[in-house]
Amino acid sequence: MVSILFVCLGNICRSPMAEAVFRHYVIEEGLEHEIHIDSAGTGDWHIGEPPHQGTMLKLKEYGISSQGIHARQVKKGDFDQFQWIIGMDTSNVENLHKIAQTTHSHVYPFIHFIPGTTYEGVPDPWYTGNFQETYDLVQQGCKNLLDEIIAKHGLSKK
Ligand code: 4NP
C-alpha cells in the first residue's frame, strides 16, 4: 500500500482540498485500494472540524467529494506511516522538518510537482480568500503527483 499525507497549517483549507482532489483522481484510475490518502495540519486550532466552507464549495463546484474529512494535527508517527509527505508551502515543509527533528527524505513541497511555476508555495486562502487560485494549483499538482507515484511504485492506470 502506498501512503500519502498532505500537510498545511490549519488542515481546513489547502491540505484537505489536496486530499479530496487527489482521492478523486485515484478513484478515477481505480487505484483506491493501492493508495492510502490523508491530510493533517501542523497547528491544532481546528482539530475535528470539517474543511473550510470555501474549500467545500470549491470542491462541490468541481464535483469532488469532501465527505469524511476532518482536521487533525501532524504526529511524529506520521513520518513512519507515510511514504510521501507533502507540505503545501515552504513554511509547512520547514515545520515538518522541525516536528520530525531531522530532514526527512520523503517530505516534498507540493509546488515541486508543478514544474515551471513561479509560485513558491500554494497560497493560503485563509488569508487570500482566493480558493480558485488554490484549487487551480492543487488540481495541477495532484495530477502530476499521481503520475509520479504511479511510475515510481509501478502501479497501472485503469
Ligand atoms: P490552511 O489555512 O493551512 O490551508 O488550512 C489556514 C487555516 C486556518 C488558520 C491558518 C491557515 N488559522 O490560523 O486558524
Side-chain angles (χ1 to χ4, degrees):
M1 186 85 153
V2 182
S3 53
I4 176 159
L5 180 70
F6 295 97
V7 176
C8 62
L9 183 56
N11 193 212
I12 55 167
C13 295
R14 293 164 297 169
S15 62
M17 187 187 280
E19 177 185 349
V21 169
F22 194 77
R23 182 172 294 116
H24 184 85
Y25 293 146
V26 164
I27 291 171
E28 268 185 358
E29 298 300 346
L31 291 169
E32 64 272 24
H33 301 297
E34 325 285 339
I35 306 179
H36 172 64
I37 310 152
D38 198 1
S39 67
T42 57
D44 63 0
W45 314 287
H46 300 283
I47 293 173
E49 291 177 25
H52 189 286
Q53 174 89 345
T55 286
M56 300 251 253
L57 284 172
K58 197 47 70 186
L59 291 170
K60 199 170 171 206
E61 189 183 325
Y62 288 90
I64 293 171
S65 171
S66 55
Q67 212 189 342
I69 299 181
H70 294 282
R72 73 163 177 92
Q73 194 171 21
V74 175
K75 49 183 192 286
K76 276 199 123 185
D78 288 329
F79 293 93
D80 300 322
Q81 201 195 327
F82 290 90
Q83 294 156 328
W84 296 75
I85 299 181
I86 315 290
M88 301 306 292
D89 68 23
T90 48
S91 76
N92 303 146
V93 170
E94 280 167 21
N95 285 328
L96 281 165
H97 289 148
K98 276 184 205 151
I99 296 164
Q101 289 176 331
T102 172
T103 304
H104 258 259
S105 57
H106 55 300
V107 174
Y108 306 89
F110 187 88
I111 218 72
H112 169 85
F113 302 99
I114 312 179
T117 184
T118 53
Y119 285 90
E120 284 182 10
V122 179
D124 191 344
W126 176 266
Y127 301 109
T128 67
N130 190 344
F131 286 85
Q132 186 65 53
E133 176 188 45
T134 295
Y135 180 84
D136 291 341
L137 291 167
V138 163
Q139 180 262 322
Q140 288 174 57
C142 282
K143 264 207 180 323
N144 293 332
L145 177 58
L146 181 56
D147 283 342
E148 190 159 331
I149 287 181
I150 285 171
K152 282 233 167 90
H153 294 271
L155 303 173
S156 42
K157 284 191 177 188
K158 221 181 202 173

Coordinates of all heavy atoms in Angstrom, one line a residue, residues 8-14 45-46 124 126-127, ligand 1:
C8 N -0.8 21.1 5.7 CA -0.7 22.6 5.7 C -0.8 23.1 7.2 O -0.4 22.3 8.1 CB -1.9 23.2 4.9 SG -3.5 22.8 5.5
L9 N -1.2 24.3 7.4 CA -1.1 24.9 8.7 C -2.3 24.5 9.5 O -2.2 23.9 10.6 CB -1.0 26.4 8.6 CG -0.8 27.2 9.9 CD1 0.3 26.8 10.7 CD2 -0.7 28.7 9.5
G10 N -3.5 24.7 9.0 CA -4.7 24.5 9.8 C -5.5 23.2 9.5 O -6.3 22.8 10.2
N11 N -5.1 22.6 8.4 CA -5.8 21.4 7.9 C -7.3 21.6 7.6 O -8.1 20.7 7.8 CB -5.6 20.2 8.8 CG -6.0 18.8 8.2 OD1 -6.4 17.9 8.9 ND2 -5.9 18.7 6.9
I12 N -7.6 22.9 7.2 CA -9.0 23.1 6.9 C -9.2 23.7 5.5 O -10.2 23.7 4.9 CB -9.8 24.0 7.9 CG1 -9.1 25.3 8.2 CG2 -10.1 23.2 9.1 CD1 -10.0 26.3 8.9
C13 N -8.1 24.3 4.9 CA -8.2 24.9 3.6 C -7.5 24.1 2.5 O -8.1 23.5 1.6 CB -7.7 26.3 3.6 SG -8.7 27.5 4.6
R14 N -6.1 24.1 2.5 CA -5.3 23.6 1.4 C -5.1 22.1 1.4 O -5.4 21.4 0.4 CB -4.0 24.3 1.3 CG -4.1 25.8 1.0 CD -2.8 26.5 1.3 NE -2.5 26.4 2.7 CZ -1.3 26.8 3.3 NH1 -0.4 27.2 2.5 NH2 -1.2 26.7 4.6
W45 N -5.5 24.3 16.0 CA -6.7 25.1 16.2 C -8.0 24.5 15.7 O -9.1 24.8 16.2 CB -6.6 26.5 15.6 CG -5.3 27.1 15.8 CD1 -4.8 27.7 17.0 CD2 -4.2 27.3 14.8 NE1 -3.5 28.1 16.8 CE2 -3.1 27.9 15.5 CE3 -4.0 26.9 13.5 CZ2 -1.9 28.2 14.9 CZ3 -2.8 27.2 12.9 CH2 -1.8 27.8 13.6
H46 N -8.0 23.7 14.7 CA -9.2 23.3 14.1 C -9.5 21.8 14.1 O -10.3 21.2 13.4 CB -9.2 23.7 12.6 CG -9.1 25.2 12.4 ND1 -10.2 26.1 12.6 CD2 -8.0 26.0 12.2 CE1 -9.8 27.3 12.5 NE2 -8.5 27.3 12.2
D124 N -2.3 30.5 0.7 CA -3.3 30.1 1.7 C -4.5 30.9 1.6 O -4.5 32.1 1.9 CB -2.6 30.3 3.1 CG -3.4 29.6 4.2 OD1 -4.6 29.3 4.0 OD2 -2.9 29.4 5.3
W126 N -7.0 31.0 3.5 CA -7.4 31.5 4.8 C -7.1 33.0 4.8 O -7.8 33.8 5.4 CB -6.7 30.8 5.9 CG -6.9 31.2 7.3 CD1 -6.2 32.1 8.0 CD2 -8.0 30.9 8.2 NE1 -6.7 32.3 9.3 CE2 -7.8 31.5 9.4 CE3 -9.1 30.0 8.0 CZ2 -8.7 31.4 10.5 CZ3 -10.0 29.9 9.1 CH2 -9.8 30.6 10.3
Y127 N -6.0 33.4 4.2 CA -5.5 34.8 4.2 C -5.9 35.5 2.8 O -6.2 36.7 2.8 CB -4.0 34.9 4.4 CG -3.6 34.3 5.7 CD1 -2.9 33.1 5.7 CD2 -3.9 34.9 6.9 CE1 -2.5 32.5 6.9 CE2 -3.6 34.3 8.1 CZ -2.9 33.1 8.1 OH -2.5 32.5 9.3
Ligands
4NP1 P1 -4.8 26.1 5.8 O1 -5.3 27.5 6.1 O2 -3.4 25.9 6.5 O3 -4.7 26.0 4.3 O4 -5.8 25.1 6.4 C1 -5.4 28.0 7.5 C2 -6.5 27.8 8.2 C3 -6.6 28.3 9.5 C4 -5.6 29.1 10.0 C5 -4.4 29.4 9.2 C6 -4.3 28.8 8.0 N1 -5.7 29.6 11.3 O5 -4.8 30.4 11.7 O6 -6.6 29.3 12.1

